[in-house]
Amino acid sequence: MKDLVWDHILSVGIEEIDEDHRKLVDLYNILNHSVADGDASDYVGAVLEELINCTVWHFSHEERLMLKYGYEGLDDHKMDHRDLINGARELQQKYLQTGELDEKEDLAYLEHWLTEHILTADMRLGSYLIEVI
């Protein structure tokens, strides 16, 4: 098990987005530890639900900023958001049915899901917002 570590590499340069991302990284790490420690399935399910709910809120936050500042990549970015949430919800359904999250497969998926989006789509958004705010 490895924690995600927040550092400047994950910063998009917009503090309010970075704050959201730090919270998501923290929740991912809590989930990671809860699975590795064998915590009760209700607890693991609650952490996964919180991660998804915070992600949905965060995506709404980003989309509001995109609308306010006329971001041309809005439609593609929103599609990425929908795909990510759908993938997380599928993982959640799997967990609800089996009571298990695989550390290597499922948590690796969530780690990739989080970091890949920040390092690609959100970096482009951050660069744009830095120029227009």
Side-chain angles (χ1 to χ4, degrees):
M1 167 193 61
K2 67 175 184 168
D3 282 346
L4 284 178
V5 177
W6 176 265
D7 63 20
H8 70 281
I9 298 295
L10 292 175
S11 174
V12 300
I14 302 295
E15 185 55 32
E16 63 186 285
I17 294 175
D18 286 344
E19 283 179 31
D20 292 355
H21 289 164
R22 279 190 288 273
K23 178 66 176 172
L24 296 175
V25 166
D26 287 345
L27 284 168
Y28 168 82
N29 289 332
I30 291 169
L31 180 64
N32 193 13
H33 283 268
S34 68
V35 170
D37 294 345
D39 287 339
S41 65
D42 287 349
Y43 177 75
V44 173
V47 176
L48 180 58
E49 178 72 16
E50 184 177 4
L51 176 60
I52 292 169
N53 288 341
C54 285
T55 302
V56 168
W57 180 88
H58 165 65
F59 287 169
S60 294
H61 180 203
E62 283 186 350
E63 290 167 14
R64 176 180 54 80
L65 291 172
M66 288 184 249
L67 285 167
K68 180 175 182 175
Y69 294 103
Y71 185 59
E72 289 184 10
L74 172 66
D75 291 337
D76 288 340
H77 205 120
K78 281 178 76 170
M79 191 178 323
D80 285 348
H81 286 170
R82 280 191 301 275
D83 291 345
L84 291 168
I85 291 301
N86 288 339
R89 292 219 187 272
E90 287 174 16
L91 184 63
Q92 183 181 39
Q93 285 304 310
K94 174 186 162 191
Y95 180 73
L96 292 172
Q97 292 169 355
T98 66
E100 295 180 5
L101 284 178
D102 180 82
E103 287 182 60
K104 290 184 179 166
E105 182 180 327
D106 298 330
L107 291 177
Y109 168 78
L110 288 174
E111 178 184 355
H112 178 77
W113 172 81
L114 181 59
T115 57
E116 180 71 16
H117 183 71
I118 292 172
L119 292 171
T120 58
D122 285 350
M123 287 296 179
R124 287 190 299 273
L125 173 61
S127 294
Y128 174 80
L129 292 174
I130 288 168
E131 290 189 20
V132 299
I133 291 179

